[in-house]
Amino acid sequence: MAGETRGSVTNLPIPRFVSTKTDETNVRRGPSLTHRIDWVFQRRGMPVEVTAEHGHWRRVRDRDGAGGWVHYSLLSGVRTVIVEQDMLDVFITPDPDAPISARFETGVIARLGECNADWCHISAGGYKGWVRKATLWGVDPDEIRD
């Protein structure tokens, strides 16, 4: 898209969504090991948004807007999302009249698959299906994924 910002290190779009790679991901006040650890993500696969790059460091923020610096080796390009609606209906096809394959609770972290204009295919806990994109955090409203 026109005017898209690119990372100075990776040349990837900024902002962009990624996920945590480890069970414990230190989030630091600044982009080096000498900066204090402000908190720790304690879940592998947590979606975060990269908002800046500095050398081997990425400034990220979570769905609550809390941010800090994470070493790039602790992040993964695997896309995940957080379910933002309780007892979210998961449909077999991207159609609100389709059969429901599962229901996910608020806060479930799901693997993100294909997305069209309004729907995304997600999977978690052995269940999979289509949900409305607006019910997820970790995917841009205009993002299309094949």
Side-chain angles (χ1 to χ4, degrees):
M1 74 179 72
E4 181 177 76
T5 304
R6 293 269 171 185
S8 59
V9 179
T10 62
N11 199 36
L12 294 169
I14 300 243
R16 69 180 176 277
F17 289 102
V18 297
S19 61
T20 56
K21 192 187 283 187
T22 60
D23 291 332
E24 288 196 351
T25 302
N26 293 334
V27 181
R28 295 180 180 271
R29 188 155 289 180
S32 79
L33 292 173
T34 60
H35 284 88
R36 196 173 70 111
I37 295 170
D38 279 339
W39 77 90
V40 179
F41 286 118
Q42 297 198 305
R43 182 137 185 216
R44 175 191 315 257
M46 179 72 66
V48 293
E49 186 175 30
V50 174
T51 60
E53 300 178 349
H54 181 82
H56 291 308
W57 296 85
R58 306 294 174 260
R59 189 173 67 212
V60 301
R61 71 173 170 210
D62 65 12
R63 80 169 178 184
D64 299 322
W69 292 88
V70 173
H71 194 270
Y72 81 101
S73 66
L74 301 175
L75 299 173
S76 168
V78 172
R79 293 289 301 277
T80 59
V81 290
I82 297 177
V83 171
E84 297 258 72
Q85 177 182 315
D86 200 30
M87 299 316 292
L88 175 64
D89 290 335
V90 181
F91 298 94
I92 290 176
T93 61
D95 176 352
D97 296 325
I100 294 170
S101 63
R103 287 194 173 92
F104 290 163
E105 295 178 2
T106 302
V108 165
I109 294 178
R111 185 101 181 233
L112 180 65
E114 181 182 346
C115 292
N116 63 31
D118 300 311
W119 295 81
C120 288
H121 191 268
I122 63 172
S123 58
Y127 297 95
K128 63 185 178 187
W130 292 87
V131 298
R132 292 204 175 273
K133 191 186 290 180
T135 62
L136 304 172
W137 188 88
V139 61
D140 284 319
D142 58 351
E143 187 173 352
I144 305 293
R145 290 172 48 92
D146 297 327

